[in-house]
Amino acid sequence: MSTENISAPTFRYSAVTFDCPDPTALARFYGEALGLPVVFSTDDFVLLGQEGAAGLGFNRLSDYRRPTWPDPAQEKQAHIDLGVDDLDAAEARLLDLGAVRPEFQPDPDRWRVLLDPAGHPFCISTLV
């Protein structure tokens, strides 16, 4: 079988999806934080985004277990990094939206680790 005339498929980044117990609540948190509207929603899945751009998805998982970061008992699996201009102002806004600031902060002068309402760690930094 010849592969000379077969072109490679085109891939494009479309979304990152987080498992969580309540997709509507977690989408509300990130939608407010990032100024992203809901582009698709069901009882078990919500997608935030802008037309033609990658989005953030939130998927209901009935047996979801919160990460225990920094304790490795239940690993974080993945996290998102958000670029900000002012660490203190961004942290205050995210805390107002429902984020939690864990006690352990590896380098708080350069970046801050916060936990979203479902317990996923995420970082804010002026470096990105």
Side-chain angles (χ1 to χ4, degrees):
M1 172 184 229
S2 172
T3 59
E4 288 178 29
N5 294 328
I6 299 175
S7 62
T10 301
F11 295 95
R12 66 187 171 279
Y13 166 66
S14 60
V16 168
T17 298
F18 289 94
D19 290 335
C20 60
D22 184 345
T24 300
L26 197 54
R28 185 177 311 113
F29 170 79
Y30 280 104
E32 287 287 326
L34 298 171
L36 292 174
V38 172
V39 295
F40 178 81
S41 179
T42 69
D43 288 342
D44 294 319
F45 181 78
V46 177
L47 180 67
L48 301 176
Q50 298 285 348
E51 188 67 35
L56 284 176
F58 306 94
N59 181 65
R60 183 181 312 279
L61 189 64
S62 62
D63 63 346
Y64 175 76
R65 293 180 306 196
R66 295 175 68 96
T68 55
W69 186 91
D71 177 357
Q74 179 64 40
E75 290 289 343
K76 62 183 177 179
Q77 296 115 23
H79 73 275
I80 191 168
D81 293 303
L82 304 176
V84 301
D85 294 328
D86 181 319
L87 279 174
D88 293 329
E91 179 180 354
R93 172 70 175 139
L94 292 165
L95 293 174
D96 285 345
L97 292 174
V100 174
R101 186 180 200 266
E103 187 175 321
F104 177 69
Q105 294 291 318
D107 193 353
D109 293 333
R110 295 179 56 196
W111 73 86
R112 311 274 168 82
V113 178
L114 300 173
L115 306 176
D116 71 22
H120 300 110
F122 67 98
C123 295
I124 57 173
S125 172
T126 57
L127 304 175
V128 285

